[in-house]
Amino acid sequence: DTWELSYSTTSGAPNDGTIVTVNSKSYLLENLTPKTTYYVYVRAKCSDTDKSQWSEVCEFTTGIFVANNGTETNAYVPVYGW
């Protein structure tokens, strides 16, 4: 199974986002900016020319992880499956 995942910090057309090819039913978005809203779409990719329509948008806002010393150290995101 292969999918394309599009993500962006601006709401707009899925083709305007960063598009990655995913070969499993889960994918970890890394190096996201804390306290930032992201917009994610997914679609099936059967071949380079045979792809489904993009899904509805999945919108989420990253949080922060605060270390014991009060330092913001890492962004985290909710986990979604498709």
Side-chain angles (χ1 to χ4, degrees):
D1 296 335
T2 303
W3 293 269
E4 285 185 333
L5 184 139
S6 169
Y7 66 99
S8 176
T9 57
T10 58
S11 62
N15 289 330
D16 294 339
T18 299
I19 298 174
V20 294
T21 299
V22 179
N23 295 312
S24 66
K25 291 187 178 180
S26 64
Y27 183 78
L28 177 64
L29 292 173
E30 298 183 282
N31 301 314
L32 301 179
T33 304
K35 302 183 222 172
T36 302
T37 299
Y38 285 85
Y39 303 87
V40 180
Y41 300 85
V42 67
R43 68 179 174 185
K45 180 180 178 184
C46 298
S47 71
D48 286 338
T49 57
D50 185 15
K51 302 173 186 178
S52 70
Q53 296 294 315
W54 287 105
S55 68
E56 295 293 322
V57 67
C58 173
E59 177 183 334
F60 65 88
T61 302
T62 55
I64 56 170
F65 174 78
V66 180
N68 287 339
N69 65 2
T71 304
E72 295 179 4
T73 59
N74 198 0
Y76 68 92
V77 298
V79 176
Y80 294 97
W82 62 82

